[in-house]
Each structure stands twice: as C-alpha cells, then as structure tokens.
Amino acid sequence: MFLQCFKWIPHFCHQLVWLVAIREKGFVKPLPDDIIIDILSRLPAECVLECRKVCRMWLALTSTPHFIEMHLKRATPEIFVQCLYYPNLVKDELDLFIFYEGAKKGKMIKKMRAGSIMYFLKGQRPVLIGSCNGLLLFVSRFQKRTYGICNPVTRQRVHLIAPKYSSGFICGFFFHSPTKEFRLLYVVWESIGFVYFICTLGDKSWRRLATVFPYEPVRFARSVMVNGVLYWMVDFRCGYNGVIIPCSNSVMMFNVETEDFRSMPHPKMECGVHRHRHAKMQLVEMEGQLTFYRVDDKLMLGIWVLEKYENWFWVRKYEVNLNWDVRRYPFLGYELDPDISIVYIRNDELLLDWCGRGLFRYHMGHNFIEKIDKAGMKMPNWETHRKCITIMVIKSLSIII
Amino acid sequence: MASAPENEKNASAPEKKTLTLKSMINNEEFVVDEHVALQSVTIKNMVDSDCAGDVIPVPTISGEILALVIEYCKNHANPSASEDDLKKADAGIVAKDIYTLIDLVLAANFLDIKGLLEVTSQKIADSIKDLPHQDVREIFGVENDYTPEEEAAVRAEHDWAFEGFP
C-alpha cells in the first residue's frame, strides 16, 4: 500500500514541471501532446490543415495514421453534389459543391476550386462515382478506363487505368482495414462468367481474383460497406447469356477480407415476371445496418433493414408516401419512372435525391417534408441541371498510398 | 412530502464521507461528498490505495477552476439528472474564455475525468476552428519553429481547396 503511493510521485513531478513552465511563460500553459491531438482531431479537416501551419510539432502530430483515423471517426459526413451541367462540362469545369445542412442561409454551399482537381483529369469530363474515407473516385466520360482519385481537402490525387477490357467498370472502392490500404474492385464479363480484379492504390497494379461469379453489380451503383462486406444490387439484366436473375440472388456481397462472393434474396415481395422491378431496388447503409429500399409504381417508398445476417432476415422499417411530396411541391414534367435515391437515413430523418427535382428531407414519424434547396440559397438548380450526383463524404486527411 | 428527503438525508448522513480538496495555487479548500470526488479517477486511485489524507492537495489547479470541476462532478453524480439537463449544465460550465478552457482541460486531464475532458476539448475545438493559425499559435503559446522556406511550403500544401460560392 505504501509502495502504491509512490506511483503518484512521477505524476506529481510532471505536474510540477508544468507549474514551473506556467510561471515562466506567464499565463499560457503548454498542453500535453495527447490533449493537443484530442482537440485537433475534433476540428473539420480544413481547419486541421490551417493548424498544421502553427509549428513543426503540430504538423507531425496531425500527420500520423493514428491521428488521421481518429479524425475520420469523429468527423461527420457532408453532402457533396456534382452538377453534370452540360455547358460547364464542355468548358471542362467541374461543378462540385459541398452542402452544409446546418449552416446559416447563404453559407450553406461552397464550391470546390475546380483547378485543383481538374488538373489531373483535364479534358476527361470526370464524373463522381464513389467515395471512401474522404477520398473521391471519378470516372472519365471520355476514356472509360481512366479513373481519378483525390482527397478534396488535401488535394492529393492519382490517376488510375483499369484493366484492358472495354466493358468492365470499377464497382467497389473500399478501405482494407487489416493492411490499411485503399482498394478498388473491378468487374468484367468473360465467357465463363464475371471476373473480378483488385487494385491497391499504392502500387496501382491489378490482381485477378480466382473466383468467377455468375453476377455483376448494377453498373456504377455505389456499393454499400457494412462490417467489412460490400453489398450491391445485382444487375437484373445480368448475363450476356440471357439468364434472368432470380429474386433469391438479387443482392450480392463481397467479403473484403476473405475475398468471397455470395448472393442473397431481397426482402419478400411479389416480383413475378416483373424482374425489371429490380431496377427500382437499391441499397444504402443506415446506422451501421444494411438497408434496402424500393419505390413502387404508386410512389410508395418501402424501406427494409437486414436484421439477421445468418438467415437474411429483412424487417420492414418504414413506408413513405412520396405523393405528399408531389402534392406539396408540384412540378412540371412529372415522370412515370422517377429516378429517386436515398442520400442518408438517420434518426428517423430521410434525405432523398429526386433526380430533376431536388433534395427533400422527410421527417418520418411526423410525415413532414421539406425541400432543402430553396431559392436564395444559391444552390445549383437541380431542375435546370437535370442531373446532379449527390453523395455523402467525410472530409478527411486520408492519404492516398 | 417536504420532510421525506430530509429524513433520508439524516438517515444516510453518518455514512456519507466527505473529502477536502485544496488548491495548491491559492490554498482554497473545497469540501465535497466522497462519491462526487470519486468521479476523478486520480482521486479514486488515491483513496483506493489509501494515499489520501483528510485534505487532498491539488497542484497546478486554481480554486476558480477547481470550483468548475466540482460543479461538473456534482451534476454528474446526481442520479436523477436527465441527459438533457446534463448537456445544458455541461454547456454552462464550458461557456468560458479560451484561457479558462485550457486550464480546465489540464485540470480534467490531471484529475482524469473523461467526460469533462471530452466536453472541454470539444469546446476548445469549436472556439479555435475558424481562427487563422497565427491566432491559434498565440492562444496555445506555441513558438513558430518553421524556417521561412518551410513555412511557405506548408502553406502552399495546406491551403484548402474550397471557396465560398460563387
């Protein structure tokens, strides 16, 4: 017991050293490194960049993988919007915006300095197709094999050329935790089935996986990562050999550690011969759970959550009537087959991206709808731009290696 | 109705131990219930290992800061406080100037009170997030040890990529 008391002596001595330091420096007290790290990891990524200019020590403290990971965990995702505005695309300008939901009016939108990112995709008409830990993945509209990856905060960027096939595409962009590497998954049809390639951002070379799988994901649909597994809806037209994909194999998954593919059924509903209904089914992540949704012909949005992974047990969670929205915000050119996707669902709040109409926030419980790109906010106009890509991105300090 | 809590208080009074915390900076003393003070892991370890006397000296923490720490511990020792109440109370405690917050974060760190450390760090982060690096440097009393060339390089590399729209 007596000895235990000695354990406090070094601690106290440390404090006393500070005490002396305080007296010497006036009222400014030096903070221990772990507190500085803790404080800086709570700042938005661009503010961390500003703080790196303070001194060498702070630059070092905020450049470690530990700090970058800690920061990433604390940062909240933000909404990135790319407008595929034709005249600008022709002028080779990138219309990329960040939408700050909580900010005051007039400060909700910031535009990315186009030059910083266009530099490496000059003349390529890049289209944003995915994001992972703060990195953005673009595909070139001109040369379909050319991809670009950048961190929009640090502006670090790389080019990537896909394997030599004309018809394949990158279907997954993920962080491989065991090796701490960013990886890409590429799919292409070969006569035996779909073959997959993996590339690590560091070495940029493609490795062919041994497995040949009978299905491929919906083209350029963003994969959903839950607990180290990537999920996609299977392309229902799949099969250059004319095979129609059964409902029991309509969702496919890839375990990033074991590199195994599997498929599973979507939630129970009558598809009958109307397999094209699979085109209206999509996946999203909600608070760490795999979530499935589809919009039916009557504009009802149904949302299911995968509760048990062992037996693919889906539970119906919400049913949202999108007709409220159409009544409240009438619009011309109403389509029978609207392109609607969920940007996020959290705390019973749903953000919908309705292509050609805009972003809508639904408070589920209260049956309340709100269009969030109101006039006067200087938001790029969804209605005239027709096509916007909306994606959740965590602004991070991730390094492309 | 009114007498019930009093009875309870009287009944438990003999068991209730108090500790005296003494700021070594200005010799201010605070008498607090033991269960309130035990939220500090540092104090808990001292009490558990019988290192604590009747008066626990707290070096480097002024009476003013110690009072804030004790206020936090009292709020969080109250089992009937709702999460909302605690959030409001925490916000009140950290509604201070940046220099007080730096003292408070040091105190929370020394006394090892996780919750207080977290709210104070967050508040400091919120208050410095829009400041230019020169101001941050001054607040934290850090000296600029970059050479002019290095500084130019760091600046070029770390100017962020977004601008106000349009």
Side-chain angles (χ1 to χ4, degrees):
Chain A
M1 207 176 273
F2 180 71
L3 273 173
Q4 273 179 323
C5 297
F6 280 106
K7 281 200 290 195
W8 295 99
I9 292 175
H11 204 119
F12 269 84
C13 287
H14 189 55
Q15 294 291 319
L16 286 173
V17 171
W18 281 355
L19 190 65
V20 174
I22 295 159
R23 294 274 146 84
E24 277 177 1
K25 279 200 163 189
F27 56 91
V28 184
K29 304 175 178 73
L31 292 174
D33 290 353
D34 51 348
I35 294 188
I36 292 176
I37 289 173
D38 188 73
I39 292 171
L40 297 182
S41 69
R42 293 166 189 274
L43 292 172
E46 55 271 32
C47 302
V48 176
L49 292 194
E50 181 65 22
C51 285
R52 283 182 175 174
K53 299 175 198 163
V54 165
C55 66
R56 283 183 189 167
M57 187 62 177
W58 283 31
L59 172 63
L61 290 178
T62 56
S63 303
T64 63
H66 167 71
F67 179 88
I68 291 168
E69 202 181 320
M70 193 168 165
H71 179 268
L72 185 71
K73 274 190 196 146
R74 284 189 166 150
T76 35
E78 275 155 312
I79 304 165
F80 273 52
V81 180
Q82 184 189 9
C83 297
L84 301 177
Y85 179 49
Y86 185 71
N88 273 3
L89 277 178
V90 173
K91 278 190 282 172
D92 212 6
E93 275 179 24
L94 184 70
D95 283 331
L96 193 61
F97 303 88
I98 305 183
F99 181 59
Y100 297 94
E101 258 187 297
K104 287 180 200 147
K105 274 198 171 182
K107 289 194 172 171
M108 284 176 118
I109 276 287
K110 279 192 174 170
K111 188 182 179 183
M112 222 168 111
R113 273 182 216 154
S116 62
I117 192 165
M118 287 308 292
Y119 174 74
F120 78 124
L121 286 170
K122 193 95 190 133
Q124 301 283 340
R125 294 196 191 170
V127 178
L128 182 59
I129 55 165
S131 107
C132 173
N133 289 4
L135 303 185
L136 305 179
L137 172 65
F138 292 90
V139 63
S140 160
R141 279 198 160 183
F142 283 157
Q143 291 159 351
K144 300 269 169 162
R145 283 180 56 219
T146 305
Y147 292 83
I149 288 158
C150 80
N151 181 329
V153 179
T154 64
R155 290 183 291 171
Q156 196 195 358
R157 63 231 157 192
V158 290
H159 257 116
L160 200 77
I161 306 294
K164 273 192 185 165
Y165 289 93
S166 57
S167 61
F169 63 99
I170 288 182
C171 59
F173 179 29
F174 58 94
F175 188 68
H176 186 250
S177 307
T179 54
K180 309 242 178 256
E181 290 168 341
F182 286 98
R183 292 185 175 181
L184 294 143
L185 187 66
Y186 179 87
V187 56
V188 69
W189 168 258
E190 267 188 8
S191 52
I192 39 170
F194 289 96
V195 292
Y196 288 84
F197 292 80
I198 280 195
C199 166
T200 298
L201 271 194
D203 60 18
K204 291 195 194 177
S205 61
W206 293 92
R207 163 170 63 89
R208 188 185 168 130
L209 298 181
T211 327
V212 176
F213 199 62
Y215 312 121
E216 74 169 334
V218 174
R219 188 161 278 250
F220 293 130
R222 271 163 238 146
S223 57
V224 176
M225 171 81 116
V226 178
N227 295 330
V229 178
L230 291 174
Y231 296 87
W232 306 262
M233 288 306 298
V234 168
D235 192 338
F236 74 101
R237 297 157 307 183
C238 216
Y240 291 66
N241 48 6
V243 177
I244 296 173
I245 304 308
C247 294
S248 56
N249 298 85
S250 53
V251 179
M252 64 178 277
M253 54 200 271
F254 173 70
N255 185 318
V256 302
E257 265 187 59
T258 60
E259 300 190 342
D260 277 337
F261 287 95
R262 289 177 73 181
S263 60
M264 64 176 183
H266 62 62
K268 244 196 178 120
M269 62 181 80
E270 274 312 311
C271 287
V273 289
H274 305 291
R275 291 280 155 64
H276 67 274
R277 283 184 183 160
H278 285 179
K280 292 281 139 197
M281 299 176 177
Q282 295 177 71
L283 301 173
V284 68
E285 188 241 80
M286 171 172 70
E287 285 149 7
Q289 283 181 298
L290 182 67
T291 304
F292 168 97
Y293 63 100
R294 67 103 180 75
V295 179
D296 71 12
D297 305 338
K298 297 184 182 92
L299 278 183
M300 296 297 283
L301 168 67
I303 300 171
W304 286 259
V305 164
L306 186 60
E307 295 247 309
K308 288 193 188 125
Y309 287 74
E310 312 84 58
N311 53 0
W312 314 135
F313 184 62
W314 294 96
V315 174
R316 197 185 181 100
K317 197 95 183 185
Y318 302 105
E319 176 87 20
V320 184
N321 187 346
L322 300 181
N323 291 298
W324 308 328
D325 163 2
V326 177
R327 257 177 252 138
R328 184 159 171 191
Y329 301 101
F331 65 109
L332 297 168
Y334 175 71
E335 296 169 67
L336 279 174
D337 194 20
D339 182 358
I340 297 168
S341 54
I342 292 179
V343 181
Y344 68 68
I345 320 176
R346 59 188 180 210
N347 309 326
D348 285 340
E349 219 179 76
L350 171 71
L351 189 69
L352 266 195
D353 179 12
W354 189 319
C355 185
R357 287 190 65 208
L359 289 180
F360 297 87
R361 192 191 292 139
Y362 287 72
H363 302 266
M364 283 175 300
H366 303 99
N367 289 3
F368 177 69
I369 310 151
E370 179 185 16
K371 192 172 180 188
I372 63 169
D373 53 321
K374 290 192 178 108
M377 265 173 37
K378 291 182 176 168
M379 189 70 179
N381 191 342
W382 263 267
E383 278 135 66
T384 54
H385 286 198
R386 284 298 295 139
K387 181 76 184 158
C388 279
I389 291 171
T390 311
I391 191 167
M392 296 299 284
V393 177
I394 304 177
K395 274 194 275 162
S396 79
L397 300 153
S398 293
I399 300 168
I400 304 171
I401 306 177
Chain B
M1 229 0 225
S3 62
E6 223 167 80
N7 285 341
E8 218 177 87
K9 208 176 178 182
N10 286 339
S12 60
E15 296 164 31
K16 227 170 205 173
K17 267 185 74 181
T18 57
L19 291 171
T20 303
L21 305 181
K22 184 177 177 184
S23 158
M24 299 296 279
I25 287 190
N26 47 10
N27 294 325
E28 241 179 285
E29 289 190 3
F30 297 85
V31 181
V32 285
D33 289 342
E34 192 180 42
H35 77 285
V36 170
L38 288 189
Q39 288 184 69
S40 153
V41 177
T42 308
I43 292 176
K44 186 175 185 303
N45 286 339
M46 286 172 83
V47 170
D48 288 351
S49 55
D50 262 348
C51 293
D54 290 340
V55 176
I56 298 177
V58 185
T60 75
I61 300 173
S62 72
E64 179 206 356
I65 299 297
L66 202 51
L68 289 177
V69 173
I70 291 166
E71 191 187 333
Y72 174 90
C73 290
K74 273 187 186 158
N75 294 340
H76 285 256
N78 177 6
S80 59
S82 74
E83 224 168 90
D84 264 7
D85 291 343
L86 286 177
K87 254 191 191 161
K88 267 186 210 151
D90 288 354
I93 289 174
V94 297
K96 300 285 177 318
D97 65 275
I98 187 86
Y99 297 104
T100 310
L101 291 174
I102 291 177
D103 286 340
L104 189 59
V105 83
L106 281 168
N109 185 49
F110 173 67
L111 293 170
D112 202 347
I113 307 168
K114 207 167 164 259
L116 181 61
L117 191 62
E118 205 162 305
V119 289
T120 317
S121 296
Q122 186 60 52
K123 181 72 185 181
I124 295 176
D126 292 344
S127 10
I128 64 169
K129 79 172 178 205
D130 294 321
L131 297 180
H133 64 278
Q134 294 90 343
D135 292 4
V136 176
R137 207 180 267 155
E138 198 177 313
I139 287 168
F140 288 89
V142 182
E143 255 170 65
N144 178 12
D145 54 1
Y146 285 120
T147 62
E149 296 80 29
E150 276 176 335
E151 197 168 2
V154 174
R155 251 169 217 257
E157 206 177 309
H158 294 107
D159 266 334
W160 58 305
F162 297 93
E163 60 194 14
F165 171 75

